[in-house]
Amino acid sequence: MASVPTHLPYTSKDEVISIDQETTSVTSSDNVNENMIRHHINKISALKRTSIYSFLTTPGREALNNIRQAKLNPNSNTNNPVSYKFDVTNNSIAEKYILTHFWNFITFKFFPEWLAPNLITFSGFICILLVFLLININTFYLKPLIELSSSQGYSSVYNMNLILVSLLIFFYNTLDGCDGKQARRTGSSSPLGELFDHGVDALSLTVLTLCMLMVLGEIPPNLLIGMILVHIIMMLAFYTAHWEHFHTNTFYMGHICASDGQFAVIGVYLITFIYNVFIQDSKISSIVALWQSNQLFGLFSFGALVLIITMFGTVISPITSVFHVISFYRNVSQNIEKDLRQSQELDETNISILEEEEEQQQSNRPQRDFTKYSNLRFKKDVTNASVDLLILFIFFALYLTMCVLSGLTVIDKTKGTTFLEENYVILMVIGGLTFGVFLTTMNIARVTSQPFPRFTKQYVLTLTPIAIFILNNFTRVLSVNTNAFINEKVLLLLILVWDICFYLLFAVSTVSEFCECLGIKAFKLVHHSSNSNTTSSVSQVVVHDTSLRVDSDSSEDEGPISSSNGKHNSTNLVENI
């Protein structure tokens, strides 16, 4: 085997020599395992991949390589074994008693075993893209034509699109539920599958928010900022659920979950269709016009009430996530204190009777310090978890500022039209793409067992354009003719193109690196041969409080965190203390 070049980026000479010697010794052995050779080759190639367009750290690649090696050789004893497990507590009433049965039926009845789960996920993403296209055609093309024309042809197309949107959202929900079933059915569960699934969910969140709000009719200007706040709160709820997963190693789903929200959107579209076809005969411009409807008790329109209910209903989710993280770290600190006391009691049993009195006096102070130490540890863990959310709130502040300034920018003084009214869809798409990068970055760190990513280059590359837009808008104040330094529309379109291109680069690079390190293909099943007679797999999926899903294997490698009971196994921590 050729020697490793010494010009590998971000690799010291000693590391290259060490890897080269290690590889040479492996290849010189007559009885070497072929999988072991592949492991060393992947280890070297992981170092080569480090570049400016790479979004995986070197330790992250090593973790993925260890996952692959452990899956190829379940019984091998590696120096740093890393196992992958997706642990979820599903309390959703709809999924537990209805949807899971339906998803299992669809998976086993219609999906062949050769079909890759990621291909199912990607098909759901295509449905979401079609939904986004149809709602924009209805809102910005068909609806103005219907208002200006008496032709019933436009109305029929509009109403047909309502049905298509409902069906596409239903297909997306079904495919999103079946991809995990197919992964466990084919034994192809992997970190890439989880990353791919949640990345699509993060992008679909913005589209589904627009779906709900755009079908209610023409949005009044005074409620546009409320719509942006709904978008921010939904992103916060989704992000904190994964933030909770990062810290507790358990993905928690409440009694009301995302599927309920998706079916609520479907219900609104079906109600709109029924109203337009069977109740309203002529004009379609007032379709379920909750925004322009009568005041409710003289305080709110029905559209405003929808915003208020959505915001207060969604904000429960992040509050629950914060409570779960605090409870988790409280259990960790209590278990540490308990283990410390047990270790001291074990030591005291070995003390002779003659030394017992003296040792008891010396042990009084450590016993008092155990509680103090556990409290300090608890405060430190909770503080660190809170700091992890700082970058998200920086993004929210910039995004909200960009939208508020757009709402204050009047582009048509005769009609009083603001920049936000004309471009709220583009602004929300930019916010959704940025959010997708943030969420996926956190999930990459979690599945590769890396520290929380508080600062990365992708954060800078996505937040900088938003900051430039804000600064450009402030130049209006300094301008003599009240014009910004750069035309806002042109700048916004440039930011949109930049975010789309960067997200594509981010997604393609991440998927290709995961495939390379794990030895898999994104949209094709790859079956690895194993020298072991066992059929256990490193990839695990554990679902609590749900009898409809089962653990995909019998591996007992739970790691330092035991998610089955929500408590922390503090033995390793005590040894480190």
Side-chain angles (χ1 to χ4, degrees):
M1 182 177 293
S3 62
V4 182
T6 58
H7 61 275
L8 292 181
Y10 304 102
T11 307
S12 65
K13 183 177 180 180
D14 294 336
E15 290 174 332
V16 173
I17 293 175
S18 174
I19 295 173
D20 189 29
Q21 293 174 348
E22 185 179 9
T23 307
T24 304
S25 64
V26 169
T27 56
S28 62
S29 175
D30 296 333
N31 300 323
V32 68
N33 191 311
E34 181 182 354
N35 292 328
M36 213 54 170
I37 298 176
R38 191 179 294 112
H39 168 65
H40 286 273
I41 294 175
N42 292 332
K43 186 176 181 181
I44 297 172
S45 64
L47 295 175
K48 292 182 180 180
R49 286 282 298 175
T50 305
S51 61
I52 191 172
Y53 58 84
S54 174
F55 302 96
L56 273 178
T57 62
T58 300
R61 294 188 195 88
E62 288 295 331
L64 292 177
N65 280 321
N66 288 335
I67 292 176
R68 178 189 183 184
Q69 182 62 22
K71 189 169 186 177
L72 291 173
N73 297 281
N75 295 330
S76 63
N77 294 322
T78 58
N79 294 329
N80 295 304
V82 177
S83 63
Y84 164 73
K85 179 181 67 174
F86 181 72
D87 197 358
V88 55
T89 298
N90 191 348
N91 295 318
S92 170
I93 298 176
E95 290 194 6
K96 184 183 294 186
Y97 298 106
I98 302 175
L99 293 177
T100 296
H101 295 286
F102 174 70
W103 293 336
N104 282 327
F105 171 77
I106 295 295
T107 301
F108 287 90
K109 186 72 174 178
F110 297 101
F111 293 154
E113 291 190 19
W114 53 261
L115 184 62
N118 288 338
L119 196 57
I120 299 176
T121 306
F122 187 75
S123 301
F125 179 63
I126 297 299
C127 293
I128 287 296
L129 291 180
L130 292 175
V131 167
F132 181 74
L133 177 64
L134 290 176
I135 62 175
N136 279 279
I137 290 176
N138 268 12
T139 302
F140 299 108
Y141 179 71
L142 291 177
K143 193 168 183 294
L145 290 177
I146 293 170
E147 293 174 349
L148 297 175
S149 174
S150 58
S151 174
Q152 294 296 321
Y154 294 126
S155 300
S156 299
V157 175
Y158 185 101
N159 292 323
M160 184 59 63
N161 284 347
L162 295 177
I163 296 296
L164 289 177
V165 168
S166 301
L167 289 175
L168 287 170
I169 295 176
F170 175 75
F171 291 155
Y172 161 72
N173 176 270
T174 302
L175 294 171
D176 187 40
C178 290
D179 54 6
K181 307 290 185 184
Q182 179 74 354
R184 292 187 286 279
R185 176 193 181 191
T186 58
S188 58
S189 299
S190 69
L192 176 61
E194 180 191 344
L195 205 69
F196 201 83
D197 186 16
H198 292 161
V200 170
D201 292 340
L203 295 180
S204 66
L205 182 144
T206 298
V207 176
L208 293 175
T209 303
L210 283 169
C211 277
M212 173 65 83
L213 299 176
M214 291 172 70
V215 76
L216 298 178
E218 184 179 353
I219 304 173
N222 60 335
L223 291 179
L224 282 172
I225 294 298
M227 183 182 68
I228 299 298
L229 290 175
V230 168
H231 188 211
I232 290 176
I233 292 175
M234 286 188 171
M235 289 189 292
L236 175 64
F238 196 71
Y239 190 91
T240 50
H242 289 266
W243 166 77
E244 175 192 347
H245 188 190
F246 186 96
H247 286 280
T248 65
N249 205 35
T250 301
F251 190 79
Y252 179 84
M253 298 176 63
H255 297 288
I256 298 177
C257 64
S259 294
D260 300 283
Q262 293 164 14
F263 278 98
V265 176
I266 293 174
V268 171
Y269 272 77
L270 293 178
I271 291 173
T272 304
F273 173 81
I274 294 172
Y275 179 82
N276 292 338
V277 175
F278 300 104
I279 299 178
Q280 184 174 246
D281 296 327
S282 57
K283 294 183 179 180
I284 198 172
S285 58
S286 59
I287 50 158
V288 191
L290 298 183
W291 302 116
Q292 295 86 16
S293 59
N294 295 328
Q295 300 291 319
L296 182 65
F297 304 117
L299 299 175
F300 308 108
S301 66
F302 288 107
L305 184 63
V306 169
L307 283 179
I308 295 173
I309 293 176
T310 304
M311 283 192 291
F312 280 96
T314 309
V315 80
I316 297 176
S317 178
I319 293 176
T320 304
S321 297
V322 171
F323 173 77
H324 287 162
V325 171
I326 293 176
S327 299
F328 173 79
Y329 281 122
R330 172 58 69 186
N331 290 335
V332 169
S333 63
Q334 290 176 350
N335 289 339
I336 291 176
E337 180 181 357
K338 179 180 178 181
D339 289 343
L340 286 173
R341 293 189 184 278
Q342 289 177 349
S343 63
Q344 185 188 45
E345 292 174 358
L346 183 62
D347 292 338
E348 289 178 351
T349 57
N350 298 324
I351 300 175
S352 63
I353 300 177
L354 296 177
E355 298 175 344
E356 183 175 356
E357 183 177 354
E358 180 181 355
E359 293 294 335
Q360 182 65 33
Q361 294 176 356
Q362 295 179 0
S363 63
N364 286 335
R365 184 173 180 178
Q367 285 181 349
R368 290 194 300 267
D369 290 342
F370 291 157
T371 301
K372 181 179 179 181
Y373 172 80
S374 64
N375 290 336
L376 290 175
R377 179 61 183 262
F378 167 72
K379 293 178 181 178
K380 180 181 178 181
D381 290 337
V382 172
T383 300
N384 288 334
S386 302
V387 173
D388 292 342
L389 293 175
L390 179 61
I391 187 64
L392 179 72
F393 285 102
I394 292 176
F395 158 58
F396 285 161
L398 291 174
Y399 176 50
L400 182 60
T401 302
M402 179 174 67
C403 294
V404 170
L405 291 177
S406 299
L408 297 176
T409 302
V410 180
I411 58 177
D412 189 343
K413 295 183 179 179
T414 57
K415 297 181 180 180
T417 305
T418 64
F419 188 79
L420 180 61
E421 293 178 62
E422 295 289 336
N423 302 281
Y424 68 89
V425 174
I426 298 178
L427 289 167
M428 290 183 68
V429 169
I430 291 174
L433 290 171
T434 305
F435 174 73
V437 172
F438 275 55
L439 183 82
T440 304
T441 299
M442 175 177 61
N443 284 335
I444 290 174
R446 181 178 53 77
V447 299
T448 57
S449 304
Q450 300 305 303
F452 194 94
R454 295 179 180 176
F455 180 82
T456 63
K457 59 186 175 185
Q458 50 264 40
Y459 293 165
V460 177
L461 293 174
T462 52
L463 293 182
T464 299
I466 299 178
I468 293 175
F469 182 89
I470 294 173
L471 293 176
N472 180 71
N473 206 292
F474 277 126
T475 58
R476 280 181 173 274
V477 181
L478 304 177
S479 177
V480 178
N481 55 0
T482 66
N483 291 328
F485 182 73
I486 305 174
N487 183 273
E488 288 96 335
K489 184 71 173 183
V490 173
L491 181 58
L492 188 67
L493 292 176
L494 289 175
I495 294 174
L496 177 64
V497 172
W498 166 262
D499 280 354
I500 293 175
C501 293
F502 177 76
Y503 190 90
L504 289 175
L505 172 65
F506 174 71
V508 172
S509 176
T510 301
V511 170
S512 62
E513 287 187 274
F514 267 69
C515 289
E516 179 182 348
C517 294
L518 293 172
I520 61 177
K521 295 183 179 180
F523 302 112
K524 183 179 180 181
L525 293 180
V526 176
H527 299 284
H528 296 287
S529 60
S530 177
N531 295 331
S532 174
N533 294 328
T534 60
T535 59
S536 62
S537 171
V538 175
S539 302
Q540 302 179 33
V541 181
V542 182
V543 181
H544 303 298
D545 301 332
T546 304
S547 58
L548 303 174
R549 300 182 184 180
V550 295
D551 193 346
S552 64
D553 62 63
S554 58
S555 174
E556 297 179 356
D557 182 14
E558 296 291 337
I561 298 177
S562 176
S563 303
S564 59
N565 55 11
K567 295 183 179 180
H568 192 279
N569 184 355
S570 58
T571 304
N572 295 335
L573 293 174
V574 173
E575 292 177 355
N576 293 333
I577 296 171

